[in-house]
Amino acid sequence: MEEQQVFGVLVVRGDAVELGVSSASGASVAQVLETAAPEAGRALGTPVAVRDLKPLQQGDPRGLALFYITLAAVIIGFVGAIQLGVHARELNPGERIAFTVTYAVLGGFSIAAVVDWGLGALDLPFAESWFILTLTMFVSGMVFTMFNTLLGRWAMLPTWGLMVLLGNPSSGGAVSWPLLPSPLGAIGRWLPPGASVNAQHTAVYFRDHQHVMPFLVLAGWGLVSCAVFLIWRHRHPGGRTGPADGETS
């Protein structure tokens, strides 16, 4: 259960049956098990006691807070990249990446601080959650920058489709992966929102059992996005063509 490989543990001691569930692993799955187990027990004439072995934090009774902070990081990430394109159009590739890192660091800190210190919705492992939010925001910004390089003004369409329309429903944040349609459950783990939710979820509720795969997925998207941007930087609508001060020699 700590490795998040199972969502429930059935213990039978003589005539006593107990089902241990883990709301932290997936509130929707735990709710299904909590409802189905007593009904199955009554049908078999064997009472089943249900106990939550890994409950959610008090400020997040439905387990949606991590989904929403990830959604915020994703949206702010690519909106920040859009704003750089509008208000800092002359940034060269290295400067654009550096500014994306900067607003990701500040944005990740702001989200974590508001959720933990301001609202008290979650008790976050602050440094790790901040890092995950920063990485998510940076990847989201660079995904938009990549599409902006390849497609110009139409970059918003694939970015929104990938990161929001497909990425968020399949992330496992609102509905746990076992209850998603199989294609979404399989795809979601390889998209930035799903990787971010997975990493954040484990950091908050299973701190001693963090997995490396979500970080590799986020790093992979970040590296690919940066590589595409740098290789085809001449196609990006921003940047300076003259000396740094904008004057001709």
Side-chain angles (χ1 to χ4, degrees):
M1 187 172 286
E2 290 289 336
E3 289 287 346
Q4 302 179 71
Q5 295 178 2
V6 298
F7 286 79
V9 177
L10 190 66
V11 180
V12 180
R13 297 187 182 92
D15 294 333
V17 179
E18 179 182 276
L19 175 65
V21 300
S22 173
S23 295
S25 299
S28 51
V29 175
Q31 184 176 8
V32 170
L33 294 176
E34 288 172 353
T35 302
E39 293 180 358
R42 284 192 293 271
L44 296 172
T46 303
V48 178
V50 180
R51 186 160 63 100
D52 196 340
L53 302 177
K54 199 77 172 180
L56 293 162
Q57 293 187 16
Q58 186 174 358
D60 185 27
R62 298 299 300 167
L64 294 175
L66 297 180
F67 169 73
Y68 285 120
I69 67 173
T70 300
L71 179 61
V74 166
I75 293 179
I76 295 173
F78 65 72
V79 168
I82 293 171
Q83 293 304 304
L84 286 182
V86 173
H87 300 291
R89 187 180 181 85
E90 294 187 352
L91 290 175
N92 281 332
E95 296 167 339
R96 191 172 298 277
I97 292 174
F99 272 92
T100 304
V101 170
T102 301
Y103 78 67
V105 170
L106 296 176
F109 178 86
S110 299
I111 294 173
V114 168
V115 170
D116 192 339
W117 303 340
L119 300 177
L122 288 170
D123 179 18
L124 298 174
F126 196 86
E128 187 174 2
S129 289
W130 178 13
F131 173 72
I132 295 168
L133 289 168
T134 297
L135 186 56
T136 303
M137 201 174 294
F138 172 75
V139 169
S140 183
M142 290 311 303
V143 165
F144 173 84
T145 304
M146 174 183 68
F147 285 129
N148 198 206
T149 302
L150 297 175
L151 303 174
R153 68 180 63 185
W154 301 104
M156 185 60 179
L157 294 179
T159 303
W160 185 266
L162 179 71
M163 303 296 287
V164 178
L165 294 183
L166 180 60
N168 281 299
S170 65
S171 68
V175 178
S176 299
W177 277 316
L179 299 182
L180 289 173
S182 296
L184 283 182
I187 293 171
R189 300 169 188 263
W190 298 97
L191 297 179
S196 181
V197 167
N198 195 351
Q200 197 73 256
H201 179 259
T202 306
V204 172
Y205 289 109
F206 304 91
R207 299 183 184 184
D208 296 328
H209 299 271
Q210 183 60 273
H211 302 143
V212 70
M213 184 56 68
F215 296 96
L216 292 178
V217 171
L218 288 170
W221 277 96
L223 289 173
V224 169
S225 299
C226 288
V228 170
F229 170 48
L230 292 173
I231 292 170
W232 285 282
R233 58 187 177 274
H234 61 281
R235 298 184 55 177
H236 191 274
R240 295 188 295 274
T241 57
D245 59 3
E247 300 177 355
T248 57
S249 57

